[in-house]
Amino acid sequence: MDRLSLRGLRFFGHHGARAEERTLGGHVMVDLEVETDAGPAAAADRREAAVDYRVLYECARVPAESEQYQLMEALAVAIAERARAVPGVRRAHVRVTKEPRMAGQTIGFSVAVTRPSD
């Protein structure tokens, strides 16, 4: 399997288990990697034959910016399920990192999920 990756996507959303997190909002970073067969696209050298990066970007942006989740796990799964529904995608790997909101947190909290296509 070949992989296409979108790394370091940064969105502002209203996610978190605490009400103040959902009210104030915060930034989340998304890494989205999908498995596909890039052979046909490479042979044709045509964008129409490839998985469209713009579509994958929207798979991350819409739930991150327009929906609200209490758990980062739920957000990651929502992104993965959207991505795996894109034609040509066989598996989606998603890592969501939430910027720190707690004292002592310097990097953030991450969750990673993988969803195979049916």
Side-chain angles (χ1 to χ4, degrees), residues 25-106:
H27 288 99
V28 294
M29 280 67 66
V30 176
D31 295 324
L32 171 59
E33 183 172 85
V34 300
E35 293 180 18
T36 187
D37 179 2
D45 195 22
R46 295 182 50 84
R47 184 175 61 186
E48 297 80 20
V51 174
D52 191 333
Y53 283 88
R54 296 170 297 180
V55 173
L56 294 177
Y57 175 84
E58 289 300 312
C59 289
R61 187 193 66 76
V62 170
E65 290 185 346
S66 302
E67 298 172 8
Q68 192 173 79
Y69 296 94
Q70 289 189 41
L71 299 177
M72 292 297 95
E73 293 87 342
L75 174 58
V77 167
I79 293 168
E81 289 180 352
R82 284 175 184 260
R84 76 176 190 164
V86 172
V89 171
R90 299 204 178 149
R91 182 171 292 175
H93 307 275
V94 177
R95 177 179 304 278
V96 175
T97 303
K98 186 169 149 181
E99 286 190 345
R101 283 275 189 197
M102 300 170 67
Q105 248 187 331
T106 59

